[in-house]
Amino acid sequence: CLSPFASSRRGVCSNCRVRARGCAAPMQRSVSRGGYTRQAALEEGFLHNQLTNADLIKRLKVATETLEKYDDDDDAVDEAKKETAHLSSSLGEDWLLEHKNKDVRLLVACALADILRIYAPEPPYTEECNADIIKLFIKILRGFQSPEMTPQHPSYSIHFYLLERLSNISIFSIIPDLENFRDEL
């Protein structure tokens, strides 16, 4: 499956049952990783700082799969903004943006890229939070500099997904608007 968040075992997508990279089917199940539904990902309190890293990663994967399915068509945007309000608020919290676990930060960045795609051209965050988000993106994208970051690396497809999303939404174009934070970026 082309979704980098589809769990696979032995190279077979768990959703479409074909070899990974062999299908383009979107995620179809209503229940996802760890038994969390996509609807649960949109509810207040789905992401909180009392979760273990393993549970937080499972929830972030569900959140990212959920956000990935939203269209950015004009007709669907208002509804998407309403549905994702709690999740977008949670994703902008400092404890997630500055999390110590690199896998958590990577998944947060992917989810934020989708939130920013949905809310484009006006990000739903404060100027300070937007600056922190851009710093997170830059930090994550530096991972591509590593000689270990090859297509065989376990997180390569997720890094690539983030890069692709960021190029589609042109997020770095808001840097000039971040007057108080330009020097930091």
PDB file of all heavy atoms in Angstrom, residues 57-96:
ATOM      1  N   ILE A  57       2.951   6.360  19.926  1.00  0.00           N
ATOM      2  CA  ILE A  57       3.278   6.074  18.524  1.00  0.00           C
ATOM      3  C   ILE A  57       2.091   5.417  17.824  1.00  0.00           C
ATOM      4  O   ILE A  57       1.732   5.789  16.703  1.00  0.00           O
ATOM      5  CB  ILE A  57       4.559   5.222  18.419  1.00  0.00           C
ATOM      6  CG1 ILE A  57       5.774   6.097  18.769  1.00  0.00           C
ATOM      7  CG2 ILE A  57       4.702   4.589  17.042  1.00  0.00           C
ATOM      8  CD1 ILE A  57       7.064   5.346  18.962  1.00  0.00           C
ATOM      9  N   LYS A  58       1.440   4.459  18.475  1.00  0.00           N
ATOM     10  CA  LYS A  58       0.251   3.825  17.885  1.00  0.00           C
ATOM     11  C   LYS A  58      -0.830   4.861  17.615  1.00  0.00           C
ATOM     12  O   LYS A  58      -1.444   4.878  16.552  1.00  0.00           O
ATOM     13  CB  LYS A  58      -0.314   2.758  18.824  1.00  0.00           C
ATOM     14  CG  LYS A  58       0.491   1.493  18.880  1.00  0.00           C
ATOM     15  CD  LYS A  58      -0.139   0.523  19.859  1.00  0.00           C
ATOM     16  CE  LYS A  58       0.773  -0.644  20.122  1.00  0.00           C
ATOM     17  NZ  LYS A  58       0.242  -1.528  21.171  1.00  0.00           N
ATOM     18  N   ARG A  59      -1.055   5.728  18.589  1.00  0.00           N
ATOM     19  CA  ARG A  59      -2.104   6.743  18.433  1.00  0.00           C
ATOM     20  C   ARG A  59      -1.738   7.755  17.349  1.00  0.00           C
ATOM     21  O   ARG A  59      -2.600   8.202  16.600  1.00  0.00           O
ATOM     22  CB  ARG A  59      -2.370   7.444  19.761  1.00  0.00           C
ATOM     23  CG  ARG A  59      -3.083   6.545  20.753  1.00  0.00           C
ATOM     24  CD  ARG A  59      -3.260   7.240  22.077  1.00  0.00           C
ATOM     25  NE  ARG A  59      -3.894   6.347  23.031  1.00  0.00           N
ATOM     26  CZ  ARG A  59      -4.910   6.707  23.806  1.00  0.00           C
ATOM     27  NH1 ARG A  59      -5.398   7.930  23.747  1.00  0.00           N
ATOM     28  NH2 ARG A  59      -5.435   5.847  24.649  1.00  0.00           N
ATOM     29  N   LEU A  60      -0.467   8.122  17.276  1.00  0.00           N
ATOM     30  CA  LEU A  60      -0.040   9.068  16.234  1.00  0.00           C
ATOM     31  C   LEU A  60      -0.176   8.463  14.842  1.00  0.00           C
ATOM     32  O   LEU A  60      -0.509   9.162  13.884  1.00  0.00           O
ATOM     33  CB  LEU A  60       1.392   9.538  16.490  1.00  0.00           C
ATOM     34  CG  LEU A  60       1.541  10.563  17.606  1.00  0.00           C
ATOM     35  CD1 LEU A  60       3.006  10.707  18.004  1.00  0.00           C
ATOM     36  CD2 LEU A  60       0.953  11.908  17.194  1.00  0.00           C
ATOM     37  N   LYS A  61       0.064   7.168  14.725  1.00  0.00           N
ATOM     38  CA  LYS A  61      -0.126   6.504  13.430  1.00  0.00           C
ATOM     39  C   LYS A  61      -1.597   6.530  13.032  1.00  0.00           C
ATOM     40  O   LYS A  61      -1.926   6.803  11.870  1.00  0.00           O
ATOM     41  CB  LYS A  61       0.397   5.068  13.479  1.00  0.00           C
ATOM     42  CG  LYS A  61       1.905   4.993  13.467  1.00  0.00           C
ATOM     43  CD  LYS A  61       2.408   3.567  13.539  1.00  0.00           C
ATOM     44  CE  LYS A  61       3.929   3.535  13.517  1.00  0.00           C
ATOM     45  NZ  LYS A  61       4.436   2.157  13.611  1.00  0.00           N
ATOM     46  N   VAL A  62      -2.482   6.286  13.985  1.00  0.00           N
ATOM     47  CA  VAL A  62      -3.918   6.355  13.707  1.00  0.00           C
ATOM     48  C   VAL A  62      -4.301   7.787  13.325  1.00  0.00           C
ATOM     49  O   VAL A  62      -5.038   8.011  12.367  1.00  0.00           O
ATOM     50  CB  VAL A  62      -4.746   5.875  14.924  1.00  0.00           C
ATOM     51  CG1 VAL A  62      -6.235   6.140  14.707  1.00  0.00           C
ATOM     52  CG2 VAL A  62      -4.496   4.407  15.189  1.00  0.00           C
ATOM     53  N   ALA A  63      -3.776   8.758  14.068  1.00  0.00           N
ATOM     54  CA  ALA A  63      -4.081  10.163  13.786  1.00  0.00           C
ATOM     55  C   ALA A  63      -3.605  10.541  12.385  1.00  0.00           C
ATOM     56  O   ALA A  63      -4.332  11.201  11.631  1.00  0.00           O
ATOM     57  CB  ALA A  63      -3.426  11.064  14.836  1.00  0.00           C
ATOM     58  N   THR A  64      -2.414  10.102  12.023  1.00  0.00           N
ATOM     59  CA  THR A  64      -1.866  10.445  10.712  1.00  0.00           C
ATOM     60  C   THR A  64      -2.656   9.759   9.605  1.00  0.00           C
ATOM     61  O   THR A  64      -2.936  10.365   8.572  1.00  0.00           O
ATOM     62  CB  THR A  64      -0.374  10.090  10.638  1.00  0.00           C
ATOM     63  OG1 THR A  64       0.286  10.757  11.712  1.00  0.00           O
ATOM     64  CG2 THR A  64       0.245  10.534   9.342  1.00  0.00           C
ATOM     65  N   GLU A  65      -3.026   8.502   9.810  1.00  0.00           N
ATOM     66  CA  GLU A  65      -3.856   7.803   8.825  1.00  0.00           C
ATOM     67  C   GLU A  65      -5.191   8.517   8.660  1.00  0.00           C
ATOM     68  O   GLU A  65      -5.721   8.622   7.554  1.00  0.00           O
ATOM     69  CB  GLU A  65      -4.092   6.355   9.255  1.00  0.00           C
ATOM     70  CG  GLU A  65      -2.858   5.490   9.154  1.00  0.00           C
ATOM     71  CD  GLU A  65      -3.024   4.135   9.839  1.00  0.00           C
ATOM     72  OE1 GLU A  65      -4.091   3.872  10.438  1.00  0.00           O
ATOM     73  OE2 GLU A  65      -2.075   3.342   9.783  1.00  0.00           O
ATOM     74  N   THR A  66      -5.721   9.016   9.766  1.00  0.00           N
ATOM     75  CA  THR A  66      -6.998   9.726   9.739  1.00  0.00           C
ATOM     76  C   THR A  66      -6.872  11.032   8.964  1.00  0.00           C
ATOM     77  O   THR A  66      -7.705  11.340   8.101  1.00  0.00           O
ATOM     78  CB  THR A  66      -7.475   9.998  11.178  1.00  0.00           C
ATOM     79  OG1 THR A  66      -7.619   8.749  11.860  1.00  0.00           O
ATOM     80  CG2 THR A  66      -8.795  10.744  11.194  1.00  0.00           C
ATOM     81  N   LEU A  67      -5.837  11.796   9.257  1.00  0.00           N
ATOM     82  CA  LEU A  67      -5.647  13.087   8.594  1.00  0.00           C
ATOM     83  C   LEU A  67      -5.324  12.933   7.116  1.00  0.00           C
ATOM     84  O   LEU A  67      -5.710  13.758   6.291  1.00  0.00           O
ATOM     85  CB  LEU A  67      -4.530  13.870   9.291  1.00  0.00           C
ATOM     86  CG  LEU A  67      -4.863  14.331  10.706  1.00  0.00           C
ATOM     87  CD1 LEU A  67      -3.603  14.833  11.409  1.00  0.00           C
ATOM     88  CD2 LEU A  67      -5.942  15.394  10.689  1.00  0.00           C
ATOM     89  N   GLU A  68      -4.626  11.865   6.797  1.00  0.00           N
ATOM     90  CA  GLU A  68      -4.212  11.602   5.419  1.00  0.00           C
ATOM     91  C   GLU A  68      -5.422  11.476   4.479  1.00  0.00           C
ATOM     92  O   GLU A  68      -5.350  11.844   3.314  1.00  0.00           O
ATOM     93  CB  GLU A  68      -3.384  10.316   5.404  1.00  0.00           C
ATOM     94  CG  GLU A  68      -2.858   9.886   4.080  1.00  0.00           C
ATOM     95  CD  GLU A  68      -2.103   8.571   4.183  1.00  0.00           C
ATOM     96  OE1 GLU A  68      -2.410   7.735   5.055  1.00  0.00           O
ATOM     97  OE2 GLU A  68      -1.194   8.380   3.362  1.00  0.00           O
ATOM     98  N   LYS A  69      -6.542  10.998   4.996  1.00  0.00           N
ATOM     99  CA  LYS A  69      -7.708  10.737   4.147  1.00  0.00           C
ATOM    100  C   LYS A  69      -8.496  11.993   3.806  1.00  0.00           C
ATOM    101  O   LYS A  69      -9.310  11.980   2.900  1.00  0.00           O
ATOM    102  CB  LYS A  69      -8.626   9.720   4.802  1.00  0.00           C
ATOM    103  CG  LYS A  69      -9.485  10.271   5.913  1.00  0.00           C
ATOM    104  CD  LYS A  69     -10.469   9.251   6.423  1.00  0.00           C
ATOM    105  CE  LYS A  69     -11.295   9.799   7.539  1.00  0.00           C
ATOM    106  NZ  LYS A  69     -12.311  10.750   7.153  1.00  0.00           N
ATOM    107  N   TYR A  70      -8.257  13.090   4.505  1.00  0.00           N
ATOM    108  CA  TYR A  70      -9.022  14.309   4.244  1.00  0.00           C
ATOM    109  C   TYR A  70      -8.614  14.953   2.929  1.00  0.00           C
ATOM    110  O   TYR A  70      -7.438  15.122   2.654  1.00  0.00           O
ATOM    111  CB  TYR A  70      -8.847  15.323   5.376  1.00  0.00           C
ATOM    112  CG  TYR A  70      -9.695  15.006   6.575  1.00  0.00           C
ATOM    113  CD1 TYR A  70      -9.157  14.335   7.657  1.00  0.00           C
ATOM    114  CD2 TYR A  70     -11.033  15.368   6.613  1.00  0.00           C
ATOM    115  CE1 TYR A  70      -9.932  14.031   8.764  1.00  0.00           C
ATOM    116  CE2 TYR A  70     -11.817  15.069   7.706  1.00  0.00           C
ATOM    117  CZ  TYR A  70     -11.260  14.399   8.783  1.00  0.00           C
ATOM    118  OH  TYR A  70     -12.030  14.090   9.864  1.00  0.00           O
ATOM    119  N   ASP A  71      -9.629  15.323   2.169  1.00  0.00           N
ATOM    120  CA  ASP A  71      -9.414  16.061   0.931  1.00  0.00           C
ATOM    121  C   ASP A  71      -9.155  17.514   1.266  1.00  0.00           C
ATOM    122  O   ASP A  71      -9.598  18.009   2.291  1.00  0.00           O
ATOM    123  CB  ASP A  71     -10.664  16.004   0.051  1.00  0.00           C
ATOM    124  CG  ASP A  71     -10.583  14.933  -1.006  1.00  0.00           C
ATOM    125  OD1 ASP A  71      -9.465  14.501  -1.320  1.00  0.00           O
ATOM    126  OD2 ASP A  71     -11.650  14.538  -1.508  1.00  0.00           O
ATOM    127  N   ASP A  72      -8.478  18.199   0.385  1.00  0.00           N
ATOM    128  CA  ASP A  72      -8.314  19.632   0.582  1.00  0.00           C
ATOM    129  C   ASP A  72      -9.132  20.401  -0.452  1.00  0.00           C
ATOM    130  O   ASP A  72      -8.852  21.542  -0.765  1.00  0.00           O
ATOM    131  CB  ASP A  72      -6.847  20.060   0.585  1.00  0.00           C
ATOM    132  CG  ASP A  72      -6.034  19.458  -0.535  1.00  0.00           C
ATOM    133  OD1 ASP A  72      -6.608  18.760  -1.383  1.00  0.00           O
ATOM    134  OD2 ASP A  72      -4.816  19.682  -0.557  1.00  0.00           O
ATOM    135  N   ASP A  73     -10.198  19.748  -0.946  1.00  0.00           N
ATOM    136  CA  ASP A  73     -11.139  20.425  -1.831  1.00  0.00           C
ATOM    137  C   ASP A  73     -11.874  21.503  -1.045  1.00  0.00           C
ATOM    138  O   ASP A  73     -12.148  21.337   0.141  1.00  0.00           O
ATOM    139  CB  ASP A  73     -12.182  19.443  -2.395  1.00  0.00           C
ATOM    140  CG  ASP A  73     -11.568  18.391  -3.282  1.00  0.00           C
ATOM    141  OD1 ASP A  73     -10.468  18.638  -3.812  1.00  0.00           O
ATOM    142  OD2 ASP A  73     -12.180  17.319  -3.427  1.00  0.00           O
ATOM    143  N   ASP A  74     -12.217  22.574  -1.721  1.00  0.00           N
ATOM    144  CA  ASP A  74     -12.912  23.681  -1.063  1.00  0.00           C
ATOM    145  C   ASP A  74     -14.191  23.228  -0.369  1.00  0.00           C
ATOM    146  O   ASP A  74     -14.527  23.720   0.706  1.00  0.00           O
ATOM    147  CB  ASP A  74     -13.232  24.788  -2.069  1.00  0.00           C
ATOM    148  CG  ASP A  74     -11.981  25.529  -2.504  1.00  0.00           C
ATOM    149  OD1 ASP A  74     -10.970  25.481  -1.769  1.00  0.00           O
ATOM    150  OD2 ASP A  74     -12.011  26.155  -3.582  1.00  0.00           O
ATOM    151  N   ASP A  75     -14.908  22.304  -0.977  1.00  0.00           N
ATOM    152  CA  ASP A  75     -16.177  21.843  -0.411  1.00  0.00           C
ATOM    153  C   ASP A  75     -15.997  21.092   0.902  1.00  0.00           C
ATOM    154  O   ASP A  75     -16.847  21.160   1.778  1.00  0.00           O
ATOM    155  CB  ASP A  75     -16.907  20.930  -1.402  1.00  0.00           C
ATOM    156  CG  ASP A  75     -17.233  21.635  -2.705  1.00  0.00           C
ATOM    157  OD1 ASP A  75     -17.333  22.881  -2.694  1.00  0.00           O
ATOM    158  OD2 ASP A  75     -17.380  20.944  -3.724  1.00  0.00           O
ATOM    159  N   ALA A  76     -14.906  20.383   1.056  1.00  0.00           N
ATOM    160  CA  ALA A  76     -14.692  19.533   2.224  1.00  0.00           C
ATOM    161  C   ALA A  76     -13.886  20.206   3.328  1.00  0.00           C
ATOM    162  O   ALA A  76     -13.835  19.698   4.446  1.00  0.00           O
ATOM    163  CB  ALA A  76     -13.984  18.254   1.792  1.00  0.00           C
ATOM    164  N   VAL A  77     -13.272  21.329   3.051  1.00  0.00           N
ATOM    165  CA  VAL A  77     -12.341  21.942   3.998  1.00  0.00           C
ATOM    166  C   VAL A  77     -13.009  22.386   5.290  1.00  0.00           C
ATOM    167  O   VAL A  77     -12.491  22.128   6.382  1.00  0.00           O
ATOM    168  CB  VAL A  77     -11.578  23.124   3.347  1.00  0.00           C
ATOM    169  CG1 VAL A  77     -10.837  23.948   4.361  1.00  0.00           C
ATOM    170  CG2 VAL A  77     -10.607  22.587   2.325  1.00  0.00           C
ATOM    171  N   ASP A  78     -14.152  23.042   5.199  1.00  0.00           N
ATOM    172  CA  ASP A  78     -14.809  23.519   6.417  1.00  0.00           C
ATOM    173  C   ASP A  78     -15.171  22.377   7.350  1.00  0.00           C
ATOM    174  O   ASP A  78     -14.971  22.458   8.563  1.00  0.00           O
ATOM    175  CB  ASP A  78     -16.057  24.345   6.082  1.00  0.00           C
ATOM    176  CG  ASP A  78     -15.703  25.685   5.465  1.00  0.00           C
ATOM    177  OD1 ASP A  78     -14.576  26.188   5.731  1.00  0.00           O
ATOM    178  OD2 ASP A  78     -16.535  26.230   4.721  1.00  0.00           O
ATOM    179  N   GLU A  79     -15.694  21.308   6.788  1.00  0.00           N
ATOM    180  CA  GLU A  79     -16.045  20.134   7.591  1.00  0.00           C
ATOM    181  C   GLU A  79     -14.779  19.502   8.181  1.00  0.00           C
ATOM    182  O   GLU A  79     -14.751  19.111   9.340  1.00  0.00           O
ATOM    183  CB  GLU A  79     -16.802  19.109   6.740  1.00  0.00           C
ATOM    184  CG  GLU A  79     -17.308  17.921   7.524  1.00  0.00           C
ATOM    185  CD  GLU A  79     -18.388  18.290   8.543  1.00  0.00           C
ATOM    186  OE1 GLU A  79     -19.090  19.294   8.377  1.00  0.00           O
ATOM    187  OE2 GLU A  79     -18.505  17.542   9.535  1.00  0.00           O
ATOM    188  N   ALA A  80     -13.727  19.418   7.390  1.00  0.00           N
ATOM    189  CA  ALA A  80     -12.464  18.839   7.868  1.00  0.00           C
ATOM    190  C   ALA A  80     -11.892  19.662   9.018  1.00  0.00           C
ATOM    191  O   ALA A  80     -11.385  19.113   9.999  1.00  0.00           O
ATOM    192  CB  ALA A  80     -11.459  18.760   6.728  1.00  0.00           C
ATOM    193  N   LYS A  81     -11.966  20.972   8.904  1.00  0.00           N
ATOM    194  CA  LYS A  81     -11.457  21.835   9.981  1.00  0.00           C
ATOM    195  C   LYS A  81     -12.222  21.602  11.273  1.00  0.00           C
ATOM    196  O   LYS A  81     -11.629  21.544  12.350  1.00  0.00           O
ATOM    197  CB  LYS A  81     -11.544  23.301   9.569  1.00  0.00           C
ATOM    198  CG  LYS A  81     -10.519  23.696   8.528  1.00  0.00           C
ATOM    199  CD  LYS A  81     -10.675  25.155   8.142  1.00  0.00           C
ATOM    200  CE  LYS A  81      -9.652  25.567   7.104  1.00  0.00           C
ATOM    201  NZ  LYS A  81      -9.806  26.985   6.697  1.00  0.00           N
ATOM    202  N   LYS A  82     -13.551  21.461  11.168  1.00  0.00           N
ATOM    203  CA  LYS A  82     -14.364  21.194  12.368  1.00  0.00           C
ATOM    204  C   LYS A  82     -13.996  19.843  12.980  1.00  0.00           C
ATOM    205  O   LYS A  82     -13.832  19.729  14.188  1.00  0.00           O
ATOM    206  CB  LYS A  82     -15.848  21.194  12.011  1.00  0.00           C
ATOM    207  CG  LYS A  82     -16.474  22.558  12.010  1.00  0.00           C
ATOM    208  CD  LYS A  82     -17.983  22.422  11.902  1.00  0.00           C
ATOM    209  CE  LYS A  82     -18.379  22.905  10.528  1.00  0.00           C
ATOM    210  NZ  LYS A  82     -19.799  22.769  10.242  1.00  0.00           N
ATOM    211  N   GLU A  83     -13.890  18.833  12.140  1.00  0.00           N
ATOM    212  CA  GLU A  83     -13.627  17.483  12.623  1.00  0.00           C
ATOM    213  C   GLU A  83     -12.240  17.337  13.233  1.00  0.00           C
ATOM    214  O   GLU A  83     -12.033  16.539  14.139  1.00  0.00           O
ATOM    215  CB  GLU A  83     -13.801  16.471  11.492  1.00  0.00           C
ATOM    216  CG  GLU A  83     -15.232  16.295  11.066  1.00  0.00           C
ATOM    217  CD  GLU A  83     -15.383  15.320   9.911  1.00  0.00           C
ATOM    218  OE1 GLU A  83     -14.390  14.666   9.511  1.00  0.00           O
ATOM    219  OE2 GLU A  83     -16.514  15.208   9.394  1.00  0.00           O
ATOM    220  N   THR A  84     -11.281  18.094  12.734  1.00  0.00           N
ATOM    221  CA  THR A  84      -9.894  17.933  13.194  1.00  0.00           C
ATOM    222  C   THR A  84      -9.469  18.954  14.247  1.00  0.00           C
ATOM    223  O   THR A  84      -8.308  18.989  14.631  1.00  0.00           O
ATOM    224  CB  THR A  84      -8.915  18.027  12.006  1.00  0.00           C
ATOM    225  OG1 THR A  84      -9.039  19.314  11.398  1.00  0.00           O
ATOM    226  CG2 THR A  84      -9.167  16.931  10.984  1.00  0.00           C
ATOM    227  N   ALA A  85     -10.387  19.759  14.738  1.00  0.00           N
ATOM    228  CA  ALA A  85     -10.043  20.851  15.667  1.00  0.00           C
ATOM    229  C   ALA A  85      -9.318  20.350  16.921  1.00  0.00           C
ATOM    230  O   ALA A  85      -8.284  20.906  17.307  1.00  0.00           O
ATOM    231  CB  ALA A  85     -11.295  21.637  16.045  1.00  0.00           C
ATOM    232  N   HIS A  86      -9.840  19.319  17.572  1.00  0.00           N
ATOM    233  CA  HIS A  86      -9.206  18.817  18.791  1.00  0.00           C
ATOM    234  C   HIS A  86      -7.824  18.244  18.501  1.00  0.00           C
ATOM    235  O   HIS A  86      -6.871  18.486  19.236  1.00  0.00           O
ATOM    236  CB  HIS A  86     -10.068  17.746  19.467  1.00  0.00           C
ATOM    237  CG  HIS A  86     -11.350  18.258  20.014  1.00  0.00           C
ATOM    238  ND1 HIS A  86     -11.417  19.233  20.982  1.00  0.00           N
ATOM    239  CD2 HIS A  86     -12.633  17.921  19.737  1.00  0.00           C
ATOM    240  CE1 HIS A  86     -12.671  19.482  21.272  1.00  0.00           C
ATOM    241  NE2 HIS A  86     -13.436  18.702  20.521  1.00  0.00           N
ATOM    242  N   LEU A  87      -7.735  17.482  17.422  1.00  0.00           N
ATOM    243  CA  LEU A  87      -6.465  16.866  17.066  1.00  0.00           C
ATOM    244  C   LEU A  87      -5.424  17.921  16.695  1.00  0.00           C
ATOM    245  O   LEU A  87      -4.275  17.847  17.127  1.00  0.00           O
ATOM    246  CB  LEU A  87      -6.659  15.870  15.919  1.00  0.00           C
ATOM    247  CG  LEU A  87      -5.449  15.048  15.506  1.00  0.00           C
ATOM    248  CD1 LEU A  87      -4.857  14.285  16.693  1.00  0.00           C
ATOM    249  CD2 LEU A  87      -5.833  14.083  14.391  1.00  0.00           C
ATOM    250  N   SER A  88      -5.831  18.925  15.927  1.00  0.00           N
ATOM    251  CA  SER A  88      -4.871  19.969  15.543  1.00  0.00           C
ATOM    252  C   SER A  88      -4.394  20.731  16.767  1.00  0.00           C
ATOM    253  O   SER A  88      -3.219  21.083  16.859  1.00  0.00           O
ATOM    254  CB  SER A  88      -5.464  20.913  14.496  1.00  0.00           C
ATOM    255  OG  SER A  88      -6.522  21.667  15.027  1.00  0.00           O
ATOM    256  N   SER A  89      -5.270  20.954  17.714  1.00  0.00           N
ATOM    257  CA  SER A  89      -4.889  21.637  18.949  1.00  0.00           C
ATOM    258  C   SER A  89      -3.866  20.806  19.732  1.00  0.00           C
ATOM    259  O   SER A  89      -2.850  21.327  20.195  1.00  0.00           O
ATOM    260  CB  SER A  89      -6.136  21.886  19.799  1.00  0.00           C
ATOM    261  OG  SER A  89      -5.792  22.473  21.022  1.00  0.00           O
ATOM    262  N   SER A  90      -4.117  19.523  19.856  1.00  0.00           N
ATOM    263  CA  SER A  90      -3.194  18.635  20.579  1.00  0.00           C
ATOM    264  C   SER A  90      -1.825  18.578  19.912  1.00  0.00           C
ATOM    265  O   SER A  90      -0.800  18.571  20.589  1.00  0.00           O
ATOM    266  CB  SER A  90      -3.761  17.217  20.662  1.00  0.00           C
ATOM    267  OG  SER A  90      -4.936  17.185  21.417  1.00  0.00           O
ATOM    268  N   LEU A  91      -1.811  18.511  18.588  1.00  0.00           N
ATOM    269  CA  LEU A  91      -0.543  18.382  17.859  1.00  0.00           C
ATOM    270  C   LEU A  91       0.349  19.609  17.996  1.00  0.00           C
ATOM    271  O   LEU A  91       1.558  19.515  17.832  1.00  0.00           O
ATOM    272  CB  LEU A  91      -0.812  18.094  16.381  1.00  0.00           C
ATOM    273  CG  LEU A  91      -1.349  16.704  16.086  1.00  0.00           C
ATOM    274  CD1 LEU A  91      -1.904  16.634  14.673  1.00  0.00           C
ATOM    275  CD2 LEU A  91      -0.277  15.658  16.318  1.00  0.00           C
ATOM    276  N   GLY A  92      -0.229  20.744  18.313  1.00  0.00           N
ATOM    277  CA  GLY A  92       0.549  21.968  18.467  1.00  0.00           C
ATOM    278  C   GLY A  92       1.111  22.181  19.864  1.00  0.00           C
ATOM    279  O   GLY A  92       1.738  23.201  20.128  1.00  0.00           O
ATOM    280  N   GLU A  93       0.921  21.220  20.737  1.00  0.00           N
ATOM    281  CA  GLU A  93       1.402  21.366  22.112  1.00  0.00           C
ATOM    282  C   GLU A  93       2.908  21.118  22.191  1.00  0.00           C
ATOM    283  O   GLU A  93       3.447  20.248  21.510  1.00  0.00           O
ATOM    284  CB  GLU A  93       0.642  20.419  23.042  1.00  0.00           C
ATOM    285  CG  GLU A  93      -0.827  20.801  23.172  1.00  0.00           C
ATOM    286  CD  GLU A  93      -1.610  19.873  24.088  1.00  0.00           C
ATOM    287  OE1 GLU A  93      -0.986  19.077  24.824  1.00  0.00           O
ATOM    288  OE2 GLU A  93      -2.844  19.942  24.046  1.00  0.00           O
ATOM    289  N   ASP A  94       3.555  21.890  23.067  1.00  0.00           N
ATOM    290  CA  ASP A  94       5.017  21.820  23.218  1.00  0.00           C
ATOM    291  C   ASP A  94       5.526  20.425  23.536  1.00  0.00           C
ATOM    292  O   ASP A  94       6.568  20.010  23.030  1.00  0.00           O
ATOM    293  CB  ASP A  94       5.484  22.780  24.317  1.00  0.00           C
ATOM    294  CG  ASP A  94       5.405  24.230  23.895  1.00  0.00           C
ATOM    295  OD1 ASP A  94       5.316  24.501  22.684  1.00  0.00           O
ATOM    296  OD2 ASP A  94       5.425  25.101  24.783  1.00  0.00           O
ATOM    297  N   TRP A  95       4.817  19.685  24.380  1.00  0.00           N
ATOM    298  CA  TRP A  95       5.314  18.374  24.789  1.00  0.00           C
ATOM    299  C   TRP A  95       5.432  17.420  23.601  1.00  0.00           C
ATOM    300  O   TRP A  95       6.270  16.514  23.614  1.00  0.00           O
ATOM    301  CB  TRP A  95       4.460  17.775  25.911  1.00  0.00           C
ATOM    302  CG  TRP A  95       3.104  17.319  25.502  1.00  0.00           C
ATOM    303  CD1 TRP A  95       1.961  18.067  25.443  1.00  0.00           C
ATOM    304  CD2 TRP A  95       2.733  16.005  25.083  1.00  0.00           C
ATOM    305  NE1 TRP A  95       0.904  17.303  25.012  1.00  0.00           N
ATOM    306  CE2 TRP A  95       1.344  16.022  24.788  1.00  0.00           C
ATOM    307  CE3 TRP A  95       3.431  14.803  24.922  1.00  0.00           C
ATOM    308  CZ2 TRP A  95       0.655  14.903  24.352  1.00  0.00           C
ATOM    309  CZ3 TRP A  95       2.737  13.692  24.487  1.00  0.00           C
ATOM    310  CH2 TRP A  95       1.366  13.745  24.214  1.00  0.00           C
ATOM    311  N   LEU A  96       4.623  17.624  22.560  1.00  0.00           N
ATOM    312  CA  LEU A  96       4.745  16.799  21.360  1.00  0.00           C
ATOM    313  C   LEU A  96       5.791  17.358  20.402  1.00  0.00           C
ATOM    314  O   LEU A  96       6.586  16.600  19.833  1.00  0.00           O
ATOM    315  CB  LEU A  96       3.404  16.696  20.635  1.00  0.00           C
ATOM    316  CG  LEU A  96       2.433  15.669  21.176  1.00  0.00           C
ATOM    317  CD1 LEU A  96       1.089  15.770  20.475  1.00  0.00           C
ATOM    318  CD2 LEU A  96       2.983  14.261  21.064  1.00  0.00           C
TER     319      LEU A  96
END
